[in-house]
């Protein structure tokens, strides 16, 4: 049906190595657009840089 292609779910995947004994911790969050996902990703990067944690955080957006 028409209209469905307008809504593309994007997933923000965040891999962090913050005190994780068993390797990376992965969390995901869904967004309704690439722009929203990218905005959240940028916010995370800025947050990590401000705390000197940018080496331990890897956020990336992927289309679902």
């Amino acid at each position: 049906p028409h209209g469905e292609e307008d809504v593309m779910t994007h997933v923000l995947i965040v891999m962090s190595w913050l005190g994780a004994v068993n390797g990376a911790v992965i969390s995901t969050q869904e967004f309704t657009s690439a722009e929203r996902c990218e905005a959240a990703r940028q916010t995370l990067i800025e947050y990590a840089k401000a705390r000197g944690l940018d080496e331990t955080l890897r956020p990336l957006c992927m289309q679902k």
Side-chain angles (χ1 to χ4, degrees):
H2 271 312
E4 282 190 22
E5 63 271 8
D6 294 341
V7 179
M8 290 280 201
T9 302
H10 282 73
V11 183
L12 175 63
I13 300 170
V14 183
M15 286 185 287
S16 60
W17 289 267
L18 299 175
V21 179
N22 301 320
V25 174
I26 299 173
S27 62
T28 60
Q29 188 175 355
E30 291 189 4
F31 294 90
T32 52
S33 72
E35 291 78 15
R36 287 182 179 184
C37 192
E38 188 57 34
R41 192 179 78 85
Q42 288 296 330
T43 300
L44 264 175
I45 290 172
E46 293 304 317
Y47 173 87
K49 280 184 182 171
R51 285 159 178 73
L53 303 172
D54 47 320
E55 289 301 308
T56 63
L57 207 65
R58 285 283 180 276
L60 55 114
C61 286
M62 295 183 72
Q63 192 172 307
K64 191 172 179 185

